[in-house]
Amino acid sequence: MIKGRKGWICEECGEKLSSTSGNLTLVSDPAPSLLAAVTIADEPKTLKDGQYTIVEVLGQGAMGVVYRAIDRNLDRIVSIKGMNPDLVESESFEKRFEKEAKAIARLNHPSVIQIYDFFREGNRCYIVMEYFKSESLLEFVKSIQDGSPYDFTPIFLKILDALDAIHKRGLVHRDLKPENLIVEGDSR
């Protein structure tokens, strides 16, 4: 566990912890103080000396915020994951964030998102990665009409193949859930 500005946070999953009678216990609502709505007005407009222009916030979780941005040097759209500022006080968490970026950048697999850059700016760390205009596996499943048959085998085989590649590198995906799996039209 690590100490954030708003209390103790689980270092493994990023969930907020609370203290009850001297023992730390997990709060039933995951990291409510960290999951407050983020507006683009609260966030930086550009990063890395103007190389990246933030367009919108795509999502937020206990670990950080993900933005859609424009890479001005390469004229392409990218996703940028910014480490949650509440976690910045933990050097071990920052090192883990950087280690995650470097480990994924070494992977070359069609079902694993590509990492383009890692940098620190101000009191935050950022990972720049491939952008997909797509939906999560959870959204995809919800979009299928009730009772409609659908063969998920190709999607699950690609997920298993990607996990196999990750595990062969000695890595573990610490937050594997339908919301974190991206499904493209070709079920990449």
Side-chain angles (χ1 to χ4, degrees), residues 6 31-43 57 59-61 65:
K6 297 179 183 177
S33 66
L34 300 176
L35 297 175
V38 172
T39 64
I40 197 69
D42 298 332
E43 298 300 314
V57 174
Q60 180 178 350
V65 180

Side-chain angles (χ1 to χ4, degrees), residues 70-100:
I70 299 169
D71 180 339
R72 297 287 178 199
N73 288 354
L74 299 174
D75 293 327
R76 65 179 170 188
I77 297 174
V78 296
S79 293
I80 300 177
K81 182 178 181 180
M83 189 172 85
N84 191 318
D86 288 326
L87 302 175
V88 170
E89 295 174 11
S90 169
E91 188 176 322
S92 66
F93 194 85
E94 186 176 328
K95 285 180 181 177
R96 192 175 107 203
F97 196 75
E98 182 175 8
K99 184 179 176 183
E100 170 190 339

Side-chain angles (χ1 to χ4, degrees), residues 5-185:
R5 280 189 235 140
K6 297 179 183 177
W8 290 97
I9 299 167
C10 174
E11 193 168 356
E12 293 299 312
C13 67
E15 297 203 33
K16 185 177 179 185
L17 301 169
S18 69
S19 178
T20 55
S21 55
N23 298 321
L24 287 175
T25 57
L26 188 61
V27 174
S28 59
D29 185 16
S33 66
L34 300 176
L35 297 175
V38 172
T39 64
I40 197 69
D42 298 332
E43 298 300 314
K45 303 291 187 258
T46 63
L47 294 168
K48 204 172 180 185
D49 295 324
Q51 179 179 348
Y52 302 109
T53 301
I54 304 297
V55 176
E56 68 178 317
V57 174
L58 294 174
Q60 180 178 350
M63 304 285 275
V65 180
V66 178
Y67 309 98
R68 183 168 62 95
I70 299 169
D71 180 339
R72 297 287 178 199
N73 288 354
L74 299 174
D75 293 327
R76 65 179 170 188
I77 297 174
V78 296
S79 293
I80 300 177
K81 182 178 181 180
M83 189 172 85
N84 191 318
D86 288 326
L87 302 175
V88 170
E89 295 174 11
S90 169
E91 188 176 322
S92 66
F93 194 85
E94 186 176 328
K95 285 180 181 177
R96 192 175 107 203
F97 196 75
E98 182 175 8
K99 184 179 176 183
E100 170 190 339
K102 288 178 177 180
I104 296 169
R106 287 190 298 269
L107 283 172
N108 185 11
H109 189 279
S111 295
V112 176
I113 223 162
Q114 292 296 296
I115 302 294
Y116 299 140
D117 196 3
F118 173 84
F119 64 96
R120 290 176 179 82
E121 188 166 300
N123 66 343
R124 292 175 82 174
C125 296
Y126 296 91
I127 299 174
V128 181
M129 57 194 134
E130 194 174 2
Y131 171 76
F132 288 103
K133 184 177 181 179
S134 56
E135 60 189 340
S136 72
L137 179 59
L138 179 66
E139 293 165 331
F140 181 73
V141 170
K142 286 180 178 180
S143 72
I144 296 172
Q145 295 180 1
D146 291 332
S148 299
Y150 188 86
D151 182 9
F152 285 94
T153 306
I155 294 173
F156 288 125
L157 288 175
K158 288 181 182 193
I159 292 169
L160 292 172
D161 188 46
L163 288 172
D164 183 53
I166 291 168
H167 292 169
K168 283 181 179 174
R169 292 289 204 126
L171 303 172
V172 175
H173 192 302
R174 295 176 181 238
D175 199 18
L176 188 64
K177 57 187 176 184
E179 300 93 308
N180 291 344
L181 298 170
I182 298 170
V183 178
E184 279 199 314

